[in-house]
Amino acid sequence: KVHEFVGGFDDWLRQGGNLKLLGMTESVATGSKGDDKTDPTQATDKSVATKLQQGQNDGIVSAKKKLSYKLQRELDTIPAKLEALELELTQLQQQTSDPEFYLQPAEQTELALQRMLDVERLLEELLERWAELEDE
């Protein structure tokens, strides 16, 4: 009976794949030494099995660790938040570039200028968080 597995060899092993099915003995899979009369193909199988068990890929980049549900949701919401903050920043910049903006009472101009600084800070923090989540 043939079973099909989605993914590659490492996925197959994680899903319960057995190295015996590939013709490797348990001693080869665990890397234990048998008798001294080993043929070159078994030595290769030993090194492959040992590397697979140790998780070494000889230069192959391993897949990224999957984000938790909560972190993935956070990552998915970041682009919309960035867009909203950029839109607000553009509106504030247009508002402050209007010559009549500074004819308003000082409290109103200070609030708008402070909000613009806050939005810029929030944008920077959000971009840093996005990069942080992408690297995980």
Side-chain angles (χ1 to χ4, degrees):
K1 186 175 179 182
V2 176
H3 295 282
E4 292 185 14
F5 290 91
V6 176
F9 185 73
D10 291 331
D11 297 319
W12 175 74
L13 283 176
R14 276 191 296 268
Q15 293 175 14
N18 190 341
L19 292 174
K20 287 182 182 179
L21 295 175
L22 298 177
M24 295 182 191
T25 64
E26 195 62 31
S27 63
V28 171
T30 59
S32 64
K33 304 216 183 231
D35 56 339
D36 289 343
K37 297 186 244 175
T38 56
D39 63 3
T41 59
Q42 255 193 330
T44 304
D45 288 345
K46 273 186 190 177
S47 64
V48 169
T50 304
K51 286 180 182 180
L52 285 172
Q53 280 187 333
Q54 295 172 352
Q56 297 173 351
N57 293 334
D58 284 337
I60 299 172
V61 178
S62 61
K64 288 184 180 180
K65 184 178 171 184
K66 187 175 178 180
L67 291 175
S68 70
Y69 177 77
K70 183 178 177 182
L71 292 178
Q72 185 61 49
R73 294 271 307 185
E74 180 183 354
L75 180 62
D76 293 343
T77 62
I78 288 177
K81 290 178 182 179
L82 282 172
E83 189 175 330
L85 286 173
E86 288 172 347
L87 179 63
E88 183 179 356
L89 182 62
T90 301
Q91 291 171 346
L92 287 168
Q93 288 171 339
Q94 288 174 350
Q95 182 183 355
T96 57
S97 66
D98 185 9
E100 294 186 19
F101 173 75
Y102 293 98
L103 298 176
Q104 300 178 46
E107 297 83 27
Q108 287 180 343
T109 58
E110 286 176 15
L111 284 174
L113 293 172
Q114 185 59 47
R115 179 61 187 160
M116 192 163 67
L117 291 174
D118 290 343
V119 169
E120 289 172 345
R121 182 185 47 80
L122 288 170
L123 272 170
E124 287 177 23
E125 289 174 2
L126 199 54
L127 286 171
E128 287 175 14
R129 181 64 177 155
W130 193 10
E132 193 177 290
L133 289 173
E134 286 284 325
D135 289 341
E136 285 189 21

